């Protein structure tokens, strides 16, 4: 008898969605349902706000009431602090969606009595859960609860008891804890009895603050293990799981215009690929921003939304300057097709800039994004950090099929084909603008350094800014090298003069040949006339001789007849 084998079915861990932007993606669906999660970090990293948003999102987005037990801030203080995030706790409390309670721990009384028991806390939490039918519970912070207990053994026992009790209640709990010296928490035990541990970090690098999140452990579930930048602003928490992006994006075959017809012809007459990353680099004053503005204008005329990140000029100054070359962008701002975000790179750290950029992209939903210039982020020796930030941004833009144009300032000299961030591997199309100095003049030149996936011109074009936009001209390439500006005009005039002289010489030789041909023809006519005259004269002489011969023969015949000669003998003669 064959025994049937039961096939094992993989089961996924039940999870509670947080609705915190980005967190559910890196956790694979949210926090472990019915289990405690520890949120640890230094002061000011956002633990309380994280816990509060978890509770508010559950009540508003998933109809899951929650309980917030605070051991430090009062109900009034909490309500005022989170109001700036748009959370109306008073309304949620009145609707019994959230139970908000502050429990004061009298350390002096505990120190005098030496006794500590969590039964009273369990009773109050149980009453709050039953009153609101809560599915979520927050305890903030656990250090305030145990800080007055001098005995580590009691602390460990009560911690295990607390976490075990929360599990039995079947609620999804979030417990906040201060970070310890050399450990995730001050007690060094909370992280071991928690099913999920999330570390929030707020560090300062080069006088710029950076916030990052890392999932230290997650029992029973896979999760992202990288450090993820996050932002706390008027919309709450925003976590960017951009480090988890791979190379699975779909590349578009659609081509879009550069905004400059002659530049389009350099790209097989079709322009850039949709969703590609374009780098425009060059020294100061070569026209990088103008080239970006021409591309922006073309995109806006197609009706595509454009998001322009300006790190050196205000939008007003930028639009004023571009109007001098015939590019009117103000009309597109009024139509809300063109959006600007202007700020100094030193205002935030790199991760904050990245988070803000991604957030604005999600809000505006542009088809084209411009960053001008990206080298403004480079300060000191942070080139590698800037490259990592741009790598994350490029991956995100490609995932969304957004065409990106980066402007970058390069140093003069022979190494203009190098960038400060060494990001050439991230770029699909690279335009290099350079100064060409000759004959006491400084002119601009443009050429395509590379363009993946398409044939493109290898020629240098003179780059001119006119009152009607950008114009590309052919440069003169000869024995003297590449000539632009006045030198090009002079050389072209010289070439035209030489060509005219050559044309006149050809015409002179052709005229001489015509004259010689006419003279030959005339000589032939004279010779033919002389030949005909001589021929006529010769024919006359021949006729006369024939006539003389005939008359002579007739004369002889008559003489013979008169002399009765033998006519037959005469005839034989």
């Amino acid at each position: 008898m064959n025994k049937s084998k039961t096939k094992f079915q993989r089961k996924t861990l039940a999870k509670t969605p947080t609705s915190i932007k980005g967190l559910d993606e890196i956790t694979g669906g949210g926090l472990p349902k019915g289990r405690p999660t520890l949120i640890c970090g230094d002061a000011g990293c956002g633990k309380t706000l994280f816990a509060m948003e978890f509770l508010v999102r559950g009540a508003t987005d998933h109809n899951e009431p929650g309980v917030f037990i605070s051991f430090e801030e009062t109900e009034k203080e909490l309500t005022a602090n989170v109001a700036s995030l748009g959370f109306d706790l008073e309304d949620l409390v009145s609707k019994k969606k959230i139970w908000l309670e502050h429990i004061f721990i009298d350390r002096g009384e505990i120190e005098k009595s030496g006794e500590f028991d969590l039964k009273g806390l369990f009773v109050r939490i149980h009453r709050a859960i039953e009153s609101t039918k809560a599915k979520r519970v927050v305890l903030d912070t656990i250090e305030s609860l145990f800080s007055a207990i001098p005995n580590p053994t009691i602390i460990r026992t009560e911690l295990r008891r607390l976490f075990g009790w929360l599990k039995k209640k079947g609620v999804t709990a979030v417990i906040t804890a201060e970070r310890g010296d050399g450990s995730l928490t001050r007690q060094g035990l909370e992280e071991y009895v928690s099913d999920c541990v999330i570390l929030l970090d707020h560090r300062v690098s080069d006088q710029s603050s950076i916030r990052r999140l890392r999932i230290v452990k997650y029992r029973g579930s896979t999760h992202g293990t990288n450090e993820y930048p996050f932002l706390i602003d008027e919309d709450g928490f925003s976590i960017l799981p951009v480090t988890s992006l791979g190379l699975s994006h779909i590349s578009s075959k659609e081509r879009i215009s550069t905004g400059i017809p002659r530049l389009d012809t350099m790209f097989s007459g079709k322009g850039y690929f949709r969703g590609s990353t374009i780098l425009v680099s060059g020294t100061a004053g070569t026209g990088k921003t103008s080239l970006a503005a021409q591309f922006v204008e073309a995109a806006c005329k197609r009706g595509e939304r454009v998001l322009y990140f300006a790190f050196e000029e205000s939008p007003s100054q930028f639009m004023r300057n571009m109007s001098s070359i015939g590019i009117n962008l103000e009309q597109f701002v009024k139509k809300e097709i063109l959006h600007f975000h202007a700020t100094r790179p030193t205002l935030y750290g790199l991760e904050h800039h990245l988070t803000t950029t991604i957030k604005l992209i999600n809000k505006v939903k542009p088809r084209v994004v411009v960053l001008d210039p990206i080298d403004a982020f480079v300060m000191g020796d942070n080139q590698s950090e800037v490259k990592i930030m741009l790598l994350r941004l490029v991956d995100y833009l490609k995932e969304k099929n957004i065409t990106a144009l980066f402007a970058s300032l390069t140093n003069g000299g022979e190494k203009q084909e190098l960038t400060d961030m060494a990001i050439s591997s991230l770029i699909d199309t690279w335009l290099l603008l350079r100064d060409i100095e000759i004959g006491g003049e400084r002119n601009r030149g443009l050429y395509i350094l590379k363009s993946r996936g398409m044939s493109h011109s290898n020629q240098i074009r003179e780059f001119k800014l006119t009152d009607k936009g950008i114009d590309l001209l052919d440069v003169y390439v000869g024995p003297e090298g590449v000539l632009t500006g006045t030198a090009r005009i002079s050389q072209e005039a010289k070439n035209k003069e030489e060509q005219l002289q050559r044309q006149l010489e050809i015409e002179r030789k052709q005229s001489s040949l015509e004259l010689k041909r006419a003279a030959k023809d005339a000589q032939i006519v004279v010779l033919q006339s002389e030949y005909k005259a001589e021929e006529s004269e010769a024919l006359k002489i021949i006729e006369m001789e024939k006539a003389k011969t005939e008359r002579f023969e007739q004369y002889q015949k008559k003489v013979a007849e008169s002399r009765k000669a033998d006519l037959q003998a005469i005839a034989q003669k």
Side-chain angles (χ1 to χ4, degrees):
M1 182 176 179
N2 295 329
K3 295 182 179 180
S4 60
K5 294 183 179 180
T6 303
K7 187 177 180 180
F8 174 75
Q9 293 183 351
R10 190 189 303 269
K11 294 182 179 180
T12 57
L13 183 69
K15 297 185 179 183
T16 298
T18 66
S19 291
I20 295 176
K21 297 175 182 177
L23 182 61
D24 291 343
E25 181 179 344
I26 60 179
T27 56
L31 303 182
K33 188 173 184 178
R35 300 185 184 187
T37 294
L38 180 67
I39 309 297
C40 54
D42 295 324
C45 63
K47 301 183 296 297
T48 301
L49 291 177
F50 181 99
M52 183 60 77
E53 184 162 354
F54 165 73
L55 215 61
V56 172
R57 299 297 182 193
T60 56
D61 297 349
H62 304 283
N63 196 28
E64 292 186 359
V67 174
F68 194 104
I69 305 295
S70 172
F71 301 109
E72 291 184 346
E73 299 176 272
T74 64
E75 294 91 337
K76 185 177 181 180
E77 290 172 337
L78 284 170
T79 302
N81 291 342
V82 300
S84 61
L85 303 180
F87 299 156
D88 189 355
L89 289 186
E90 292 182 350
D91 180 64
L92 292 173
V93 170
S94 65
K95 294 178 179 179
K96 292 187 177 182
K97 291 288 187 179
I98 286 182
W99 179 286
L100 195 62
E101 184 173 356
H102 172 244
I103 298 178
F104 175 71
I105 305 296
D106 191 345
R107 299 180 182 179
E109 184 178 344
I110 294 174
E111 290 174 354
K112 287 180 182 179
S113 63
E115 297 180 356
F116 183 84
D117 195 344
L118 292 176
K119 288 182 180 179
L121 176 63
F122 292 162
V123 170
R124 298 178 75 166
I125 296 176
H126 176 75
R127 178 170 60 89
I129 292 174
E130 293 298 322
S131 299
T132 59
K133 305 298 180 182
K135 301 295 183 181
R136 306 182 182 205
V137 172
V138 171
L139 302 181
D140 181 49
T141 66
I142 203 168
E143 277 75 27
S144 299
L145 184 61
F146 294 104
S147 60
I149 304 176
N151 192 333
T153 304
I154 296 177
I155 293 176
R156 290 175 180 271
T157 301
E158 293 300 319
L159 277 172
R160 291 183 183 276
R161 184 182 173 196
L162 173 62
F163 279 71
W165 184 84
L166 290 171
K167 277 189 176 182
K168 288 181 181 179
K169 297 299 293 182
V171 293
T172 304
V174 169
I175 299 103
T176 65
E178 296 289 339
R179 192 170 185 178
D181 295 331
S183 61
L184 293 175
T185 59
R186 291 182 181 179
Q187 309 302 332
L189 178 67
E190 298 95 317
E191 59 265 35
Y192 296 103
V193 296
S194 301
D195 289 88
C196 179
V197 178
I198 297 177
L199 175 64
L200 303 182
D201 182 33
H202 189 191
R203 68 191 72 168
V204 177
S205 176
D206 292 331
Q207 301 181 356
S208 297
S209 64
I210 302 173
R211 297 180 187 270
R212 292 183 181 177
L213 175 147
R214 181 168 66 92
I215 301 175
V216 180
K217 83 170 186 178
Y218 199 134
R219 287 175 180 163
S221 175
T222 58
H223 58 86
T225 57
N226 295 321
E227 284 190 323
Y228 302 99
F230 70 91
L231 177 67
I232 301 176
D233 59 9
E234 66 277 2
D235 296 325
F237 258 73
S238 297
I239 302 168
L240 297 184
V242 289
T243 50
S244 64
L245 292 175
L247 295 174
S248 58
H249 56 270
I250 305 300
S251 297
S252 173
K253 295 182 179 180
E254 181 187 356
R255 303 281 283 272
I256 56 176
S257 174
T258 65
I260 306 170
R262 288 214 65 184
L263 184 55
D264 286 343
T265 61
M266 296 178 71
F267 292 105
S268 305
K270 300 177 182 179
Y272 307 129
F273 275 123
R274 170 81 69 187
S276 62
T277 304
I278 302 108
L279 176 65
V280 180
S281 65
T283 55
T286 50
K288 301 179 294 296
T289 300
S290 301
L291 194 69
Q294 194 88 66
F295 179 54
V296 167
E297 182 187 40
C300 290
K301 287 181 176 179
R302 293 194 298 268
E304 299 175 5
R305 281 199 184 97
V306 178
L307 181 56
Y308 198 107
F309 292 91
F311 303 115
E312 289 185 342
E313 297 178 289
S314 68
S316 176
Q317 180 182 356
F318 172 76
M319 289 188 289
R320 181 204 66 186
N321 294 343
M322 293 305 103
S323 65
S324 66
I325 59 173
I327 300 176
N328 181 17
L329 298 177
E330 189 173 355
Q331 57 177 321
F332 303 116
V333 174
K334 292 179 180 178
K335 294 178 181 179
E336 297 185 350
I337 297 177
L338 175 59
H339 301 262
F340 282 97
H341 179 76
T343 184
R344 290 291 183 186
T346 53
L347 184 61
Y348 310 117
L350 292 176
E351 300 292 357
H352 194 289
H353 275 293
L354 176 62
T355 310
T356 303
T357 301
I358 300 297
K359 182 178 179 181
L360 285 172
I361 290 172
N362 289 331
K363 180 180 179 180
V364 176
K365 300 186 184 307
R367 299 298 304 275
V368 173
V369 169
V370 178
L371 271 71
D372 180 24
I374 56 173
D375 56 275
F377 292 109
V378 178
M379 289 173 282
D381 297 325
N382 70 337
Q383 290 91 341
S384 59
E385 288 83 357
V386 174
K387 180 178 180 179
I388 292 173
M389 184 199 77
L390 292 174
L391 172 62
R392 294 175 177 179
L393 179 59
V394 167
D395 283 345
Y396 183 82
L397 292 171
K398 286 187 176 294
E399 193 72 22
K400 298 291 185 179
N401 196 31
I402 297 173
T403 308
L405 189 146
F406 300 155
S408 177
L409 176 67
T410 58
N411 297 322
E414 298 179 355
K415 295 185 178 180
Q416 295 187 35
E417 297 180 357
L418 299 176
T419 60
D420 293 336
M421 296 75 66
I423 60 168
S424 61
S425 60
L426 309 179
I427 302 303
D428 299 308
T429 297
W430 189 348
L431 299 178
L432 185 58
L433 307 181
R434 56 182 297 184
D435 287 325
I436 302 176
E437 296 183 8
I438 188 170
E441 286 187 345
R442 173 181 172 272
N443 296 287
R444 302 177 179 92
L446 174 149
Y447 66 92
I448 303 171
L449 191 59
K450 77 170 185 178
S451 191
R452 292 171 176 164
M454 68 176 76
S455 60
H456 57 85
S457 174
N458 62 350
Q459 295 182 344
I460 299 175
R461 292 285 189 272
E462 186 175 352
F463 183 85
K464 292 192 68 177
L465 300 178
T466 70
D467 57 356
K468 295 182 180 179
I470 295 173
D471 192 16
L472 297 183
L473 305 174
D474 293 330
V475 298
Y476 176 83
V477 181
E480 299 84 0
V482 177
L483 302 180
T484 60
T486 304
R488 172 181 55 79
I489 295 173
S490 299
Q491 186 62 43
E492 288 177 349
K494 182 180 178 181
N495 291 345
K496 288 181 180 179
E497 180 64 26
E498 291 177 354
Q499 185 177 0
L500 178 60
Q501 293 296 332
R502 287 194 297 268
Q503 184 65 31
L504 291 175
E505 180 65 19
I506 291 172
E507 291 178 357
R508 187 186 65 79
K509 290 183 176 181
Q510 287 179 339
S511 178
S512 177
L513 288 174
E514 290 295 330
L515 291 173
K516 288 183 178 181
R517 184 181 295 109
K520 293 292 183 183
D521 291 342
Q523 289 179 359
I524 292 172
V525 171
V526 171
L527 291 174
Q528 286 180 341
S529 177
E530 292 177 351
Y531 172 77
K532 288 182 178 180
E534 292 179 359
E535 181 184 27
S536 177
E537 184 66 26
L539 290 175
K540 289 180 179 180
I541 294 172
I542 292 171
E543 290 296 331
M544 290 175 64
E545 291 297 328
K546 285 182 177 181
K548 286 181 179 181
T549 301
E550 290 179 356
R551 287 195 299 269
F552 179 72
E553 289 178 354
Q554 291 177 0
Y555 173 73
Q556 283 184 334
K557 186 176 180 182
K558 289 179 177 182
V559 171
E561 288 178 354
S562 63
R563 295 179 178 179
K564 304 295 183 175
D566 187 355
L567 293 176
Q568 186 174 1
I570 294 173
Q572 289 178 351
K573 289 181 180 182

